[in-house]
Amino acid sequence: MATYGIDLGTTYSCVAYVDDTGRPVIAKNAIGQETTPSVVYFETSDNVVVGQDAKGSAKLFPDQVVQLIKRQMGQKFELEFHGAKHTPESISALILKELTRAAAEQTNEEVRDVVITVPAYFGVAEREATRNAGEIAGLNVLNLIPEPVAAALHYEKLSAEGTSTILVYDLGGGTFDTTVIRLDGDDVRVLCTDGDHRLGGADWDQRIADHLLESFLAENPESTAGESEDFLQELAIAAEDMKKGLSSATSRRYNMRFDGATARVEVTRETFESLTEDLLARTFEITQRTLDAAAAQGISAFDDVLLVGGSVRMPAVNEGLRKRFGFEPKLHDPDLAVAKGAARFALIEAVKVRLPGEADGAAAASGAAAEREIEQAADQLGLEPEKVRRLAGRRVTTVVPRAFGVKTVDVADDGAESFSVSHVLKANTALPAATEPERFATAYEEQTEINIEIWEQAGAAESEDLADNAKIGEGIITGLPRLRKGSPIDISFAMDELGTLRVYAVELQTNKDLHIEVSIQGLSETQVSQAKEAIARYAVSE
Ligand code: ADP
Ligand code: MG
């Protein structure tokens, strides 16, 4: 049975599998396209439409259409359609269901074992939510893989063997990321990552839409077109088309009509680029920040700069990166690379699942029992044993996506308190990670309890301000003798490869200590199976 890689994108999704010849192939959707809009239209109480038609229905039925649900992953968020409650997980599951249904139709094979991609910055809760979405869709989620890693795995297939350091610049529809990856033999390692998950192609669309409306109103100053949801939706769709057109043509025209008034506007690539110059500049600032983070790890040169995401088709991206950084970026399947790389990774994971003892890469060095396992796995997967042996040796290592720390209080002489977050586990530390104990001190005289609050960086950069962080857990050490202010406490953080965070705190005078495992406030097993049943009754189609 084939294994599938799924790029569950903010705006577009894509499915790939590895064919008999070892090549990753895109499974086209029900209408023959390689990517599918991540849009869900709850048409009736038992009928759901996913994809292009759903996107087209947003205009007529804005209250029944869900877009950009990925931005809500990992958050407590509920929507209701035709009396049924939905979560980001169940809505993503509907997208996955349609994607895999269409893939199964095309390959004549049930789709079960999958790897789903996630942005490198996704934290624990978002990853767990993505995994649950897969389960709700009835899939067996072998693993998740960061999108830039998947893109690098795909690209690696095309490039020479050996060690290489790659910068991935991923500008999609709703998010932007830059990531530095090291490919070294069987080791794939994320070295650092940064991004803005509110910056993407949709912002470029919006600039054109605004420009179109302005042009229309300039010719029809009395018009109320600006207050018409329908008209604005129409412009939004036209804007995206126009933007795509401007990636190959140097000028596009568009005719607008509202309430008998009309306007015809021409947008040149030059105009478009100047309307969106600041957006592109923001991606370059983040790229610079990533380069600085890489430089701090001693990396100052890249073997390749990979452009990923549909929006890198805009010529200004490539030109800008050349001019500003002197890069020679490569563009390979920008909107398919993530799914294709995920398909390759799915194969690796499928091998590892079948070779339980070999997960750490010792496959080659073993006896008769291991040989039998390898042959069995090869048989099940329809691969050569030699290939299985090689795949089993591969390791993918990633980093802590965001900084984690504790809340601290500073008490001034006049009693005024000021709170901040002191980060202990820094972003971009390799996983699994374990920090040295960091020394903190009690803030008040005669404390008999110490409350430890765990906070996670919420903004793009590490910052001490509470407002730039989010509280994700807490615990308390009690029963302490009235401690002097400034009594020492040691706190250390550890995170495993799945992103589970463990915090250990010890008060040094009494040795009283505290273990906190940050539990994810995601769906319970029962909720997942309930959601699975609930979506099973929908007829899903493209
Ligand atoms: P996601 O962010 O969901 O992963 P993609 O990587 O597929 O999505 O990127 C989708 C974005 O790429 C959309 O904003 C889309 O308009 C844009 N896009 C697709 N093709 C082109 C093109 N030829 N020129 C400019 N932008 C494009
Ligand atoms: Mg993407």
Side-chain angles (χ1 to χ4, degrees), residues 8 69 73 87-97 114 116 126-139 141 144 523 528 531-532 535:
L8 181 61
I69 194 63
M73 282 304 238
T87 59
E89 289 92 327
S90 69
I91 292 165
S92 303
L94 287 164
I95 300 173
L96 290 170
K97 223 174 156 176
V114 303
I116 306 175
E126 295 96 319
R127 283 170 202 255
E128 190 59 24
T130 305
R131 196 180 274 278
N132 283 335
E135 305 285 332
I136 294 170
L139 301 168
V141 184
L144 306 172
L523 303 179
V528 168
K532 191 170 164 180
I535 76 155

Side-chain angles (χ1 to χ4, degrees), residues 87-376:
T87 59
E89 289 92 327
S90 69
I91 292 165
S92 303
L94 287 164
I95 300 173
L96 290 170
K97 223 174 156 176
E98 172 54 24
L99 293 172
T100 51
R101 189 194 67 78
E105 203 152 86
Q106 207 184 95
T107 58
N108 276 321
E109 205 182 51
E110 183 199 2
V111 177
R112 224 188 104 64
D113 291 346
V114 303
V115 161
I116 306 175
T117 65
V118 290
Y121 62 78
F122 258 22
V124 187
E126 295 96 319
R127 283 170 202 255
E128 190 59 24
T130 305
R131 196 180 274 278
N132 283 335
E135 305 285 332
I136 294 170
L139 301 168
N140 178 33
V141 184
L142 294 172
N143 208 341
L144 306 172
I145 180 176
E147 286 153 13
V149 175
L153 279 177
H154 171 55
Y155 178 67
E156 179 203 25
K157 185 75 183 169
L158 308 168
S159 70
E161 302 272 309
T163 302
S164 55
T165 311
I166 298 182
L167 176 72
V168 180
Y169 173 105
D170 180 349
L171 185 59
T175 57
F176 171 68
D177 299 281
T178 43
T179 307
V180 178
I181 293 169
R182 158 91 31 98
L183 298 169
D184 184 2
D186 281 334
D187 220 22
V188 185
R189 189 174 289 271
V190 173
L191 299 178
C192 57
T193 182
D194 203 335
D196 181 341
H197 28 291
R198 300 266 161 191
L199 179 62
D203 298 297
W204 273 255
D205 300 347
Q206 189 60 48
R207 293 290 169 84
I208 297 187
D210 292 347
H211 178 72
L212 293 178
L213 180 63
E214 257 173 50
S215 312
F216 184 84
L217 294 178
E219 285 186 35
N220 305 285
E222 307 292 310
S223 172
T224 57
E227 283 122 59
S228 159
E229 278 302 319
D230 274 8
F231 186 70
L232 296 178
Q233 278 275 357
E234 201 178 302
L235 290 192
I237 291 172
E240 187 180 359
D241 281 347
M242 195 172 228
K243 173 190 74 175
K244 289 183 181 173
L246 287 170
S247 290
S248 42
T250 51
S251 135
R252 305 292 287 174
R253 290 200 185 84
Y254 184 63
N255 295 321
M256 292 172 278
R257 169 185 291 276
F258 182 77
D259 245 4
T262 59
R264 177 177 172 78
V265 55
E266 176 169 0
V267 179
T268 63
R269 189 186 287 167
E270 214 181 333
T271 308
F272 171 56
E273 288 177 357
S274 72
L275 287 172
T276 54
E277 207 172 1
D278 59 309
L279 298 173
L280 193 62
R282 266 164 66 196
T283 72
F284 293 161
E285 273 160 40
I286 294 165
T287 303
Q288 184 59 55
R289 222 161 56 201
T290 310
L291 296 182
D292 294 343
Q297 297 188 41
I299 292 149
S300 53
F302 300 93
D303 297 292
D304 280 305
V305 175
L306 264 195
L307 303 189
V308 179
S311 301
V312 303
R313 289 222 161 88
M314 296 185 291
V317 171
N318 203 316
E319 280 160 25
L321 287 167
R322 273 170 204 274
K323 247 192 231 142
R324 163 118 187 224
F325 300 103
F327 294 151
E328 294 207 16
K330 303 228 161 56
L331 199 121
H332 282 291
D333 288 344
D335 36 20
L336 312 178
V338 169
K340 287 186 172 180
R344 296 189 70 211
F345 185 63
L347 198 56
I348 300 173
E349 290 302 293
V351 165
K352 289 188 175 166
V353 167
R354 286 167 176 84
L355 304 177
E358 312 290 348
D360 47 13
S366 32
E371 275 313 307
R372 261 200 314 280
E373 275 187 2
I374 286 177
E375 269 164 33
Q376 253 177 23

